[in-house]
Amino acid sequence: MEWVNAILQGALLGGLYALFAAGLSLIFGVMRLVNIAHGDLIVLGAYLGLSVTLVLGVHPLVALVLVVPAMAVIGYVLQRCILNQTLGKDILPPLLVTFGLSVIIQNALLETYTADPQKISAGALETASLSVGGLSFGVLPVMTFVIAVAVIAGLQWVFYRTALGRAFRATSDNQEIAQLMGLNRRHIFGLAMALALAVTAIAGILLGIRTSFDPSIGGGRLIFGFEAVIIGGLGNLWGTLVGGIILGVAQTVGAKIDPGWQLLAGHLVFLLILAIRPSGLFPRIKE
Amino acid sequence: MMASNYSVTRSSGATKIAAFVGIMILVALIAAPLWAGRADMRLMGELFLYLALASLWNLMAGYAGLVSVGQQAYVGFGGYMLFALTMFGGLHPVLAIAIAGLLGAVISIPVALLIFRLRGAYFAIGTWVIAEVFRLSFAQVSTLGGGSGSSLPAGIVRSLADSRAGREHLSYWLALGSAAIVIAAVFLFLRSRNGLALTAIRDNELAAGSLGIDIWRTKFVVYIVTAALTAMIGALIFLQKLRISPDAAFSVNDWTAFVIFIVVIGGIGTLEGPIIGTLLFFLLRETLADLGTIYLMVLGAVAIVIMLKAPNGIWGLIRNRFDIELFPLSYRVKPAQKD
């Protein structure tokens, strides 16, 4: 029963990792861009959520109403002003520019909020739990998982059922022809980044309610997100959810064996899957 | 026109002058204990170690296209090997540094086999995962101090040299020597057959492959040689620091982010770039260090602007303007001289 519990808790944790990863998966799917600053943007979302809850005195879930659009705007501006200029055949510019962004965001947060760990307070939601058949689940992890599934379903819907999604897929398939058909590639990429960072805002706030955070933790979140994307298969959103769950389960089971093994177990499972299936479990894009 | 009317040379006036000036500077630096203070020598020692790390990262990223953000794996590994080999193996520190390099090469082979399955930016983050695995693994080893790390016992430090000045001079010369050896090794490697293959891959991977160059093997060799030398530099770094902990040994900021900025600002894919970048980085660091975090934000912004506006860095700008080269690497076609 203890092990069943560990696995179920891990799967719920995987929902949060899938939220970290969904933005990465989306922008990689649309423009083959890997954003090294993604983890720091998640942390930025958490800090914005913290500020909104403190300044306005609202519940963090209400803060989403402000933080999600704010992050979307940041994403659009970032893409139009900086990241679009880095896209091309060479992989170095996007990599190094987002690496520079990561350092800037991290230190700007450090300057603004100090290095002290912070936490977003969500009242009763933090400790509420449900009992099902002898197992007890925190309401927050369950809610995070449900939100993750909803977000991924939403992104999937946008991708395959809307005009915007058609534009995403068209630009992703062939940028030149998409341009000829009247799509503005730069604008489409801006919208994709806006959507990715909107998801990042949700991930950041849920992270901030769940655990304490400080400006330096972005790198770790990027790695979890990246591992979920690779495990699931590049550019496959539902695969990303499965990847997140596998990673979460590996970590909780690892922690059960020895508390020092939590992160290590996650990384080792990732490397194992990389060794066996380098393109992930459900690849959609050949890289 | 006949082909024999032209001659192909590698050296030029600039490279000959540069070689002469370079040797003079090297001689002056070797004699530094005669003219420099203790603090200056410490700073220069650190500068040389960064120069060596930057030249190695440049060889991988700038020439082989292997953009790693996980080189701290080998810096930390080398550092820990120095501690383990001297503390438990009873080896002399200098011998331990050499063996740390060998072990770095050995461990980099399975790592390369695994992460070479990833491409581009995914390769980059994959190397970071490896570095995290190294960090978390060393944090589990309680004989090496676990998560809190350990200090190098005084007896081992004394085995380097009897006097404090002697130790300081030796560690300065080791740092200088490692920078000189790394730059010379990279230079000679790039002039060799393998280096030519590597330059061809850098310029056009597809064309290089179609000419029969084994791209995978060439990159694999570069990765392993770089890992070995990086591990040796790591051992040297922690011989200077005398204390090691998983967080310091496997710091992505200290051993990779700064190094990347050095190479990008100086000029990636050239031998001169890391040298200029290191000098500029230390100049910035020594003048702006009081600004704390702002200094890092400035560094990040400078790197972004350079990457967008002058992707070949400062050396790229100079080279475009004056068409010079300090290291004779490229070929020049000149009309043959009349007798």
Side-chain angles (χ1 to χ4, degrees), chain A residues 47-232:
Chain A
Y47 274 107
L48 290 181
L50 176 76
S51 295
V52 170
T53 51
L54 291 180
V55 171
L56 300 181
V58 293
H59 192 273
L61 296 181
V62 179
L64 281 173
V65 178
L66 284 174
V67 178
V68 168
M71 289 297 288
V73 170
I74 291 174
Y76 187 84
V77 172
L78 210 58
Q79 187 67 40
R80 290 300 297 254
C81 295
I82 299 178
L83 297 176
N84 269 337
Q85 299 178 49
T86 68
L87 295 177
K89 282 220 161 53
D90 192 359
I91 60 129
L92 258 175
L95 199 76
L96 298 181
V97 166
T98 54
F99 204 54
L101 271 179
S102 153
V103 171
I104 293 177
I105 296 170
Q106 236 179 73
N107 288 287
L109 289 175
L110 194 62
E111 193 70 13
T112 321
Y113 294 95
T114 77
D116 295 338
Q118 307 278 353
K119 203 176 160 309
I120 300 177
S121 154
L125 179 62
E126 289 178 32
T127 50
S129 68
L130 300 164
S131 276
V132 183
L135 295 166
S136 88
F137 299 100
V139 171
L140 182 67
V142 172
M143 202 183 77
T144 305
F145 189 85
V146 172
I147 291 176
V149 173
V151 163
I152 286 175
L155 289 177
Q156 197 79 12
W157 177 78
V158 168
F159 231 73
Y160 291 99
R161 294 277 179 275
T162 66
L164 179 63
R166 227 168 15 249
F168 282 164
R169 283 180 287 140
T171 354
S172 158
D173 285 347
N174 190 323
Q175 297 189 10
E176 279 73 30
I177 294 179
Q179 290 272 76
L180 290 176
M181 295 295 141
L183 291 170
N184 179 353
R185 182 180 64 184
R186 299 178 163 276
H187 177 64
I188 300 289
F189 286 167
L191 292 177
M193 188 55 87
L195 195 56
L197 289 205
V199 176
T200 297
I202 301 171
I205 288 188
L206 289 170
L207 168 76
I209 300 174
R210 188 184 178 107
T211 56
S212 60
F213 53 95
D214 66 68
S216 70
I217 65 160
R221 304 322 103 174
L222 169 72
I223 289 180
F224 294 158
F226 157 78
E227 289 176 333
V229 171
I230 293 280
I231 293 174

Side-chain angles (χ1 to χ4, degrees), chain B residues 249-313:
Chain B
F250 299 99
S251 160
V252 64
N253 270 339
D254 289 349
W255 313 128
T256 299
F258 290 161
V259 167
I260 292 180
F261 290 146
I262 286 172
V263 175
V264 170
I265 291 171
I268 193 165
T270 64
L271 274 182
E272 294 88 348
I275 300 175
I276 293 174
T278 309
L279 292 174
L280 198 72
F281 172 75
F282 274 79
L283 195 71
L284 276 175
R285 201 184 76 171
E286 295 304 307
T287 48
L288 299 179
D290 296 341
L291 296 176
T293 55
I294 305 259
Y295 145 69
L296 292 171
M297 289 163 70
V298 170
L299 206 61
V302 168
I304 290 178
V305 169
I306 292 209
M307 200 70 232
L308 293 180
K309 302 293 173 198
N312 295 322

